[in-house]
Amino acid sequence: MVTFAKPENALKRAEELINVGQKADALQALHDLITSKRYRAWQKTLEKIMMKYVELCVDLRKGRYAKDGLIQYRIVCQQVNVTSLEEVIKYFMHLATERAEQARSQALALEEALDVDDLEADRRPEDLMLSYVSGEKGKDRSDRELVTPWFKFLWETYRTVLEILRNNSKLETLYAMTAHRAFQFCKQYKRTTEFRRLCEIIRNHLANLNKYRDQRDRPDLSAPESLQLYLDTRFEQLKIATELQLWQEAFRSIEDIHGLMCMVKKTPKASSMVIYYAKLTEIFWISSSHLYHAYAWFKLFSLQKSFNKNLTQKDLQMIASSVVLAALAVPPYDHSRGASHLELENEKERNVKKMANLIGFNLDPKRESREALSRTSLLSELVSKGVLSCATQEVKDLYHSLEHEFLPLDLAARVHPLLSKITKVGGKLASASSVPEVQLSQYVPSLEKLATLRLLQQVSQVYQTMRIECVSQMIPFFDFSVVEKISVDAVKHNFIAMKVDHMKNVILFGNMGLESEGLRDHLTNFTESLNKARAMVYPPESKSSKLADILPGLGEVVDKEHKRLLARKSIIEKRKEEQERQLLEMEREEESRRLRLQKITEEAEQKRLAAEFEQRKTQRIRREIEERELEEAQALLEEAEKRSKRKGGKKPILEGEKVTKQALVERALNEQLRERQEMEKKLQKLVKTLDHLERAKREEAAPLIEAAFQHRLVEEKALHEREQQLEIELSRQRHDGDLMVKNRLVRMLENKKIFEERVWSRRESEFARRRAESEERIKQIIEARKQEREVKRKKILFVLSEEEKLKRQREEEEARKREEAESRKREEAERKAKLDEIAEKQRQRERELEEKEKLRREALLSGRSLDGPTKASEPSAGSRPEPVAAAPVTAAATTAAPAQSSGKYVPRFRRESSGQAPPSSGQGPPEADKWGSKQVPPPDADRRTGGARQPPADSDRWGPRSDERNPPGDKWRPSRWSSSRPRN
């Protein structure tokens, strides 16, 4: 066993061995690592190692190695990382399934390859002898060897996984998934033997779960999730068992489901219970338990009616019809009547403890089971709970004919057409997917037998003697031989009393003994009636009791004592019930206390384990950090020393401080490479030696084989001649015996022909009669259908005429509505046009008013601005005349003078509009004033202002700024005009 310092080293070593084709050695190396106690702390590397490990196990088909490795890995992952174990197991099953499918796809004949009764059994000696004698072809044998081992391994994989995951609360989901996959495997490949073993394995797991209740990670079945998983597994088991037609295993699955429900004392969902009772109906029908089959159908009907909201009336009618027919199909007499006392007790035990509980009926053990579960009680319950009212009319008529009507001669003729109609009813239900396909025709044979028994019973009450031909004509279902068998069984169970006399060709009804039970009953009834009549005619005289004379109050004392005893009995019963209730409460409290203590203990244990794990992990990490390099170097040194000793060479001279890990690794790799090369040379030499030896052995064995073959030919020829002679003698003896039998039977040939002619003549007459009846019935049906078609045609014509009339009325109404809508639209358009015209005139009038107002404002503004210059120019009228060219300048100056003298600012566009012009026209170059202006005001302006020189209006200081602030065309007005603006 090789030890590794780190798990990564083992994985690298395994990959190296796989690359050189040594998968077995790689598997052994990983197996030693996994089973070692040194690596019990989980880490991510271990998961990679397990993945590689299961790959090798699947490639080499080593199921035992896989099981050991998974068990060890479960111990490592149980408390740390269960998800890792789930991933490894899923990968393991995926690989096994994939390889099995590959092998199956490679095989050309799957049925021949899988023709094995038991996957766990080894090759039998008979198969080996048969393969040698039959000379099976090599390809067929190779197919068997290719496919069957992989399916054996896949089956072993499922068993291994279930064994590992059993009774573990953290892995119960994966356990259920594995069980479902195993069931599908058995279903897909028709593995009935493996399915039985799988069911037994799951059953044992549940039994062990209940047996060892103090297990640490035991699943809690009281939890809804766990219970649902276990129930889903059992229901899947039940479905697969019925699909494989393993009815005994299906019944055991039903018992498992019922035991699980009793264990947790909780009823599953209604959908699951529907599947449960649906499968019960199939099982009881196959086992000919007609009574329990009918009770199962009754429970199924109750569930569907109560919980299936999507159930249609047609489907409900089908299920109710099935329930009623199943109840009618139960034999009307008790089969256990003629059984022994021990058989009766066993039947009672079986009914009380098993069957009644399975179909959901709790019986009183003190009461007779045949009275609780019987055909009569079931039919009365169907009538009282309204099941019969939901059935079809044919089923209702059949029930009344067979159970309530007394028609000795016409019963079969009345029942026969009803059974013919019932035969055609059936099919898959649309709104009840869990219910199997309902076929009412399966009850027809039992109902025909019941009708025969009812007819014989009613005839026996009316007639004492009847001819066999009459009875055969009254019963169209069976030949008289079958009727005779049915009557024998009914007579055996005391249902009817009849005898058949074939010598006289009659049937005798009633018991032919010395003393008839019916006569004895009649005499007893007659005696009782006579006694009652005598008591009424001659009433007995009341005699005074001596004891009453002695004790006059005895009656009252007895009544009081009786009442006191009854009260005491009721008090005792109440005390018992109270004591039982207290005991139940104490048990419930004790159970809850135990669960709380168990939960607290588990939590403390988990905390302790987590603390211990963290402590161990910390210590391990510290120790590994300290010793890792030292251990690796030491391991490499030891390996080098061992190798040098084994080779007989000198020890490597190593200086402790100068040796490095890299040097040791390189030295070890070189040594391994050299050993590998030497081993390859030895193997080549050994192969050559073995080839020579094999060739020599075959050369020596060739003449011996030829001689043995010739000797065997001689022996087989003699054996063939001897067997051929024996076969000739046997054929001769058989021929002589056949001739004797022929001569003995020739005498009866005439009687056989006479009997055949009699049978043929009777059948021809019967056929002619039935054909005439059928033709007559067909004619009646044709006439009825013609009349029905005529009535239907008239109805259709009437409906079409009414529809045409309604259509015309609708069209006229629509045309009238369209005309009204169009007229309303035209009126609306005209009204809108008029309103638009009025609005346009209003807007035109407003525009004209605005234009007039604007012109008025402009006129007012222009008239007021021209008043100033006119008045200012008056004083200069008598002064010296100026040239015409200078008039605008003078006017501008005179206009600006009052404004400048008063300190008011005049905008430029006002100055330009009042006739100002540049002062340079007709003048010389002006002098620059102190503001730097190039314009000199005229002397008359200076005189008006007292010689003070004002800055011109268009100077550099104010002119440009006024131009920039108030460009021409702006609506800004000075504040002096604000009072003269018109108000709106």
Side-chain angles (χ1 to χ4, degrees), residues 277 280-281 284 291-301 359:
Y277 286 113
L280 261 181
T281 57
F284 285 139
L291 180 61
Y292 302 122
H293 171 76
Y295 270 104
W297 260 116
F298 179 51
K299 295 294 290 186
L300 185 59
F301 172 82
I359 57 180

Side-chain angles (χ1 to χ4, degrees), residues 572-583:
I572 291 172
E573 292 294 334
K574 289 181 180 179
R575 287 179 180 175
K576 287 182 179 180
E577 292 177 358
E578 183 66 23
Q579 187 176 4
E580 291 178 356
R581 186 181 63 78
Q582 291 178 358
L583 288 174

Side-chain angles (χ1 to χ4, degrees), residues 155 176-199 202 231-251 253-254 257 275 279 282-283:
W155 166 245
M177 185 265 289
T178 306
H180 283 253
R181 292 183 63 175
F183 288 140
Q184 293 300 323
F185 166 79
C186 297
K187 173 187 172 182
Q188 185 178 359
Y189 303 110
K190 304 295 187 296
R191 307 309 307 176
T192 57
T193 305
E194 284 72 29
F195 180 77
R196 291 192 186 94
R197 288 178 180 165
L198 179 61
C199 296
I202 295 175
L231 285 174
D232 291 342
T233 303
R234 265 62 182 181
F235 279 112
E236 184 69 17
Q237 173 182 336
L238 177 60
K239 290 179 183 177
I240 301 301
T242 54
E243 290 176 3
L244 294 177
Q245 295 185 355
L246 299 175
W247 302 110
Q248 186 176 4
E249 198 60 41
F251 185 76
S253 302
I254 288 287
I257 295 172
I275 299 173
K279 298 302 179 183
E282 297 182 30
I283 295 169

Side-chain angles (χ1 to χ4, degrees), residues 394-410:
E394 294 83 5
V395 175
K396 295 178 183 177
D397 296 340
L398 183 65
Y399 170 79
H400 289 292
S401 300
L402 292 175
E403 296 298 323
H404 297 291
E405 294 183 357
F406 186 81
L407 301 170
L409 301 179
D410 300 330

Side-chain angles (χ1 to χ4, degrees), residues 4 210 275 331 420 447 450 647 667 705 715 811 831 844 879 900 906:
F4 298 92
N210 296 325
I275 299 173
S420 301
L447 295 173
L450 176 65
K647 297 294 183 59
R667 192 182 189 91
I705 292 172
E715 290 180 354
E811 290 178 353
R831 186 174 63 83
Q844 183 68 25
S879 61
Q900 291 174 356
V906 180

Side-chain angles (χ1 to χ4, degrees), residues 172-173 220-232 266:
E172 54 188 4
T173 305
D220 187 11
L221 293 180
S222 60
E225 296 81 7
S226 301
L227 177 61
Q228 191 61 37
L229 286 174
Y230 276 82
L231 285 174
D232 291 342
K266 185 177 180 181

